[in-house]
């Protein structure tokens, strides 16, 4: 579904991603792991059209080169950004409507927002409250629901469990599993390596903009680098 070849992302003299190859098959979860500054968010920014890049990115066999973020959203790629990036001063309902605003009619948007509030009861309870007043976990649910408003086929998730209490982390991972079961393909950037390796089909560890380890989750979990760096063995 997603084919990334020789991806490069630079910020001036900084080479954030240097020659990354990455494939995500339909209905898979692929975990993109790696230390802070490894280039994970830059990879997602390139795929979403938010950073300029070199190399090739194909989505369903179509090149993403030169496409705007809006066009990429319309093709079926959604982003749940690092740090949630909800609009704190807007209400929960307004945040949801913005998520689908790029390509749905007002009637269709209201229908989808109602669906999201059914799926996430906390968003229904708080629909008229400012989104910034919600807890971190609730804001994460809103960020995910907002991305789902555009009905993505591929969802890019950037550290969705970061900073959340263990019980909320469980809820987020359960949701990720449900989304995959519903047919959404997921590229998951995470700090929680054990839970990511548990849920994903394939995994890739980025180090300094390059893939240091990649393979099935069993292969990656068994690699020396991951055993010593992340799993404490
Ligand atoms: N907007 C930016 N301008 C300059 N440098 C950046 C920018 N965003 C990221 N970087 C740098 O690019 C590298 C990769 O960052 P990032 O993709 O955010 O890594 P990760 O998400 O894995 O923590 C880091 O060295 C970071 O400092
Ligand atoms: Mg990041």
């Amino acid at each position: 579904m997603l084919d990334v070849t020789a991806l490069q992302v630079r910020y001036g003299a900084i080479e954030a991603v240097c020659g990354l190859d990455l494939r995500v098959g339909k209905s898979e979860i692929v975990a993109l792991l790696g230390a802070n500054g490894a280039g994970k968010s830059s990879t997602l920014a390139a795929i979403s059209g938010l950073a300029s890049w070199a190399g090739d990115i194909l989505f369903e066999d179509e090149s993403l080169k030169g496409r705007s973020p809006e066009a990429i959203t319309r093709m079926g790629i959604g982003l749940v950004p690092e740090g949630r990036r909800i609009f704190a001063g807007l209400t929960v309902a307004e945040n949801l409507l913005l998520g689908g605003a790029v390509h749905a009619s007002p009637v269709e948007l209201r229908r989808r927002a109602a669906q999201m509030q059914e799926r996430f009861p906390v968003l229904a309870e708080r629909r008229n409250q400012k989104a910034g007043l919600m807890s971190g976990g609730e804001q994460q649910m809103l960020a995910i629901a907002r991305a789902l408003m555009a009905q993505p086929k591929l969802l890019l998730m950037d550290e969705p469990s970061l900073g959340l209490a263990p019980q909320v982390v469980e809820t987020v991972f359960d949701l990720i599993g449900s989304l995959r079961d519903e047919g959404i393909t997921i590229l998951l950037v995470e700090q929680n390596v054990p839970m990511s390796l548990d849920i994903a089909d394939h995994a890739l560890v980025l180090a300094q903009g390059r893939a240091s380890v990649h393979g099935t989750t069993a292969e990656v979990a068994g690699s020396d680098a991951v055993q010593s760096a992340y799993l404490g063995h």
Side-chain angles (χ1 to χ4, degrees):
M1 177 169 244
L2 182 75
D3 259 290
V4 175
T5 313
L7 181 69
Q8 281 184 291
V9 179
R10 316 185 55 104
Y11 306 99
I14 297 171
E15 250 198 316
V17 181
C18 11
L20 178 68
D21 295 338
L22 167 71
R23 291 199 67 248
V24 184
K26 193 165 164 39
S27 299
E28 273 188 342
I29 297 177
V30 174
L32 184 57
L33 310 172
N36 271 337
K40 305 179 300 295
S41 295
S42 299
T43 301
L44 299 191
I47 299 166
S48 322
L50 297 169
S52 51
W53 51 273
D56 283 312
I57 305 179
L58 299 182
F59 176 63
E60 296 187 314
D61 297 323
E62 288 204 59
S63 173
L64 298 188
K65 190 141 270 173
R67 294 186 197 258
S68 67
E70 293 74 20
I72 290 169
T73 306
R74 279 198 300 274
M75 287 172 79
I77 300 180
L79 173 67
V80 181
E82 186 171 15
R84 344 236 188 264
R85 299 289 181 93
I86 55 141
F87 303 104
L90 300 183
T91 66
V92 167
E94 287 164 344
N95 269 273
L96 283 177
L97 293 176
L98 284 169
V102 263
H103 75 332
S105 68
V107 172
E108 174 63 14
L109 280 179
R110 280 196 296 278
R111 194 185 65 79
R112 291 184 196 175
Q115 274 179 349
M116 289 305 151
Q117 292 175 45
E118 210 166 292
R119 174 164 205 162
F120 303 100
V122 66
L123 301 184
E125 283 162 31
R126 302 189 172 235
R127 68 178 166 268
N128 296 318
Q129 273 186 22
K130 296 245 188 299
L133 296 175
M134 294 197 302
S135 71
E138 291 163 350
Q139 292 189 14
Q140 187 60 64
M141 292 304 161
L142 176 58
I144 295 170
R146 184 182 58 184
L148 293 176
M149 285 286 292
Q151 301 189 333
K153 298 181 216 172
L154 169 66
L155 192 58
L156 313 174
M157 305 183 84
D158 201 345
E159 309 213 9
S161 81
L162 191 69
L164 303 180
Q167 209 180 339
V168 186
V169 172
E170 292 273 356
T171 308
V172 169
F173 273 89
D174 286 348
L175 174 60
I176 294 169
S178 310
L179 294 174
R180 186 254 313 270
D181 294 344
E182 290 162 29
I184 299 178
T185 305
I186 295 169
L187 178 55
L188 174 65
V189 167
E190 257 297 333
Q191 297 277 336
N192 191 321
V193 174
M195 287 184 82
S196 301
L197 291 176
D198 209 38
I199 202 171
D201 302 290
H202 288 90
L204 189 149
V205 181
L206 261 183
Q208 289 160 0
R210 293 182 172 82
S212 65
V213 187
H214 62 98
T216 63
T217 46
E219 287 163 355
V220 171
S223 71
D224 290 344
V226 169
Q227 286 280 319
S228 56
Y230 297 107
L231 300 176
H233 299 289

